[in-house]
């Protein structure tokens, strides 16, 4: 599948979600960014299993509606090949992601999207209240 996006918007979104990518991880998939299209938008998601960052980038034309099959790409590799400006075309064949821009073409090996760890939905219920006076008493007695 193929889609086109603005390079500057993609770079900005990647810079944001990379904040959730750990510098070292026992799970190599956590060093990746998951890319998928949702209703005409390219969604980038990263996680360190504790935090999740997600950003959306608008797609050009109808390509975003049919989109990119979900893939995971090493965040560091993707950041190193993205141009600063212009239009970028992303093509995935399930084994690699081709990034085509006016600067040339780069291909990055991908991981299966199914291997990307599930993350919390972001909906959190309030568990309860803490009595601050009781907390102060416990802290003083310790």
């Amino acid at each position: 599948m193929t889609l086109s996006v603005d390079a500057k918007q993609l770079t900005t979104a990647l810079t944001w979600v990379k904040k959730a990518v750990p510098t070292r991880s026992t799970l190599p998939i956590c060093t990746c960014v998951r890319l998928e299209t949702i209703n005409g938008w390219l969604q980038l998601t990263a996680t360190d299993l504790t935090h999740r960052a997600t950003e959306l980038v608008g797609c050009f034309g109808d390509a975003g509606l049919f989109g990119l099959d979900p893939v995971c790409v090493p965040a560091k590799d993707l950041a190193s090949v993205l141009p600063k400006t212009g239009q970028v075309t992303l093509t995935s064949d399930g084994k690699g992601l081709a990034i085509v821009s006016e600067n040339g073409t780069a291909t990055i090996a991908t991981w299966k999207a199914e291997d990307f760890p599930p993350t919390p939905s972001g909906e959190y219920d309030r568990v309860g209240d803490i009595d601050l006076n009781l907390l102060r008493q416990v802290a003083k007695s310790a």
Side-chain angles (χ1 to χ4, degrees), residues 27-102:
L27 295 173
I29 191 75
C30 286
T31 63
C32 293
V33 173
R34 180 184 164 112
L35 305 176
E36 64 183 312
T37 51
I38 298 175
N39 298 325
W41 294 87
L42 174 64
Q43 179 175 292
L44 291 80
T45 305
T47 184
D48 64 1
L49 300 178
T50 304
H51 304 94
R52 176 184 68 173
T54 300
E55 278 290 311
L56 297 173
V57 177
C59 300
F60 294 121
D62 294 333
L65 297 175
F66 306 106
L68 190 66
D69 291 332
V71 294
C72 295
V73 181
K76 192 174 182 180
D77 295 346
L78 182 57
S80 70
V81 299
L82 284 179
K84 303 287 184 224
T85 59
Q87 186 172 327
V88 175
T89 301
L90 305 174
T91 305
S92 173
D93 62 5
K95 296 178 184 173
L97 180 72
I99 298 125
V100 181
S101 70
E102 58 191 29

Side-chain angles (χ1 to χ4, degrees), residues 132-142:
L132 293 180
N133 290 327
L134 179 61
L135 183 61
R136 283 187 190 109
Q137 289 174 357
V138 171
K140 287 180 183 177
S141 65

